Amino acid sequence: MRPTPAGFRTAGETPGTAGEVAGCLDGTVHLAYARASAADPPVVAAGFSAEAALSRARARARALGLLREGPAPRATPGGGGRALRLSDFVPHPIAPQLIAPHAAAPHAAVPHATVPHPTGSGGPLVAGRGLLTGAGYRLPGEVVWLREHGGPVEPTAIGVVDDCAPAGVADVLAHDAVLRWRAASRRPPLRITPYLGGLLPPGVAEAASGLGLSISAYVLPAGEVRTVLVRVRGAATTTAAACGRTLGAAVREAFLLAVAAGAQPGQAVPDLGAPSRLVAWRHEDGHPADLERTAVDADPGIVDEPAGPVPSGWAGVAYRRFGHEPILVEAGESREAVKVVCPGASCYRRERPGIEVPCPVR
């Protein structure tokens, strides 16, 4: 596990989260299964080592459990720190009455106190702190919790800390890049499938091919960092997005996410509360994809391009992209890092009923 910034503790460092791990793809990849409690749904994570996979699964299970229960420190309306409004996350929120009712999440019935506050939502305020400045914030609970609340913001597991706080920022950046590219970009994705043998760890691509799996990968235009979509086809097809400073780092992360998505128990979407716009990334129905049809072959030199400098790390990238620093939310008695939220990112807003948003990978 990569180190967490000073003062932050990852949820997976807390003892007591059960888990199991097993090798797959001829032992080149490991899948880990974990759950924080018998009442919580299971979490599956993938890694190139058993230790990495199990650590990540435990951290994600613990974080998701805490976020569903909602025990993050509550901020008071008169307390210190800057208060953010829903409009800081969703520029033009959809009125609640325009939102179709959704099935309640397991913890949706858990009551919580509400207090009047300036965020424009009527829900609880949650305390957070900036990943660049360390400044305190008061956030609308709607952008943090995973349970349904009937408002204009969609419960989302994007940004959940399952490795370290910077990885949570990178997760938000990846989803934002795909959604913005799909909505507005006229630039085709770059096909890097022929180079996967050198971008994945040794033996992974060969093992997947030997087991009848097909892997394809594409680079999207995303500014100063690499954003990659990786699709793994087998009995089912799963696709995942990831950002990285280098092409190889982005490919490896997206590949692990796609493998983990394909190993989820039953037909369930991996993370309860994932935005409906992204559900189809996880389990596609096999229709021909626009990605392959519209992609153009990348120049071989793309594989050897050096990583450019990323001042201030992932938090700095998010600040330059969204105009606001990412904010870390901590929860539990030991104040574990559980989620990163990025005001201005495009992964919080609900869509109006009847408006079909194209799947980013079809």
Side-chain angles (χ1 to χ4, degrees):
M1 180 178 290
R2 295 192 294 274
T4 299
F8 299 148
R9 184 183 184 194
T10 306
E13 296 170 5
T14 301
T17 304
E20 299 176 3
V21 64
C24 65
L25 297 184
D26 291 340
T28 60
V29 176
H30 291 77
L31 286 170
Y33 167 102
R35 62 195 320 158
S37 72
D40 287 302
V43 169
V44 176
F48 294 117
S49 72
E51 180 184 18
L54 186 56
S55 176
R56 190 168 192 176
R58 284 175 167 166
R60 190 168 189 86
R62 171 71 174 169
L64 290 171
L66 290 173
L67 286 166
R68 290 187 179 96
E69 294 168 6
R74 300 297 175 85
T76 58
R82 176 185 168 190
L84 297 182
R85 305 176 63 88
L86 284 180
S87 58
D88 291 309
F89 294 86
V90 185
H92 304 289
I94 300 170
Q97 61 267 26
L98 296 178
I99 300 172
H102 287 248
H107 293 280
V110 177
H112 54 75
T114 58
V115 292
H117 60 77
T119 64
S121 67
L125 286 165
V126 177
R129 50 176 168 148
L131 283 174
L132 277 176
T133 66
Y137 288 91
R138 292 176 286 149
L139 310 171
E142 291 92 329
V143 302
V144 176
W145 310 138
L146 298 187
R147 58 177 178 264
E148 293 287 346
H149 45 72
V153 180
E154 184 147 24
T156 173
I158 295 170
V160 169
V161 176
D162 60 8
D163 192 345
C164 62
V169 180
D171 188 35
V172 177
L173 285 165
H175 285 83
D176 177 82
V178 175
L179 288 171
R180 292 178 190 270
W181 166 75
R182 181 64 183 178
S185 178
R186 298 296 180 265
R187 296 170 59 186
L190 300 178
R191 186 185 297 106
I192 57 171
T193 305
Y195 315 122
L196 285 175
L199 294 169
L200 292 169
V204 172
E206 293 82 356
S209 177
L211 293 173
L213 297 178
S214 172
I215 309 172
S216 52
Y218 312 87
V219 179
L220 304 182
E224 62 189 288
V225 296
R226 293 295 193 187
T227 299
V228 168
L229 282 168
V230 169
R231 169 177 290 160
V232 178
R233 294 185 183 92
T237 301
T238 55
T239 307
C243 279
R245 284 193 60 202
T246 65
L247 190 62
V251 166
R252 290 189 292 272
E253 173 66 7
F255 172 76
L256 290 175
L257 292 173
V259 169
Q264 296 298 319
Q267 299 299 315
V269 175
D271 293 320
L272 185 67
S276 58
R277 291 165 292 170
L278 307 182
V279 167
W281 296 21
R282 315 289 188 168
H283 296 275
E284 298 176 42
D285 58 10
H287 290 307
D290 286 342
L291 267 179
E292 186 61 30
R293 180 177 58 81
T294 61
V296 297
D297 291 333
D299 187 281
I302 194 173
V303 176
D304 301 318
E305 287 182 3
V310 183
S312 305
W314 289 111
V317 173
Y319 174 77
R320 291 187 290 277
R321 186 171 183 86
F322 305 132
H324 195 289
E325 67 175 322
I327 301 169
L328 180 74
V329 176
E330 299 164 313
E333 294 181 0
S334 55
R335 302 293 296 272
E336 304 144 47
V338 293
K339 189 173 183 181
V340 173
V341 296
C342 292
S346 53
C347 55
Y348 303 103
R349 176 173 174 167
R350 287 188 186 274
E351 296 300 322
R352 290 181 176 87
I355 298 180
E356 181 179 354
V357 178
C359 170
V361 296
R362 273 199 285 194

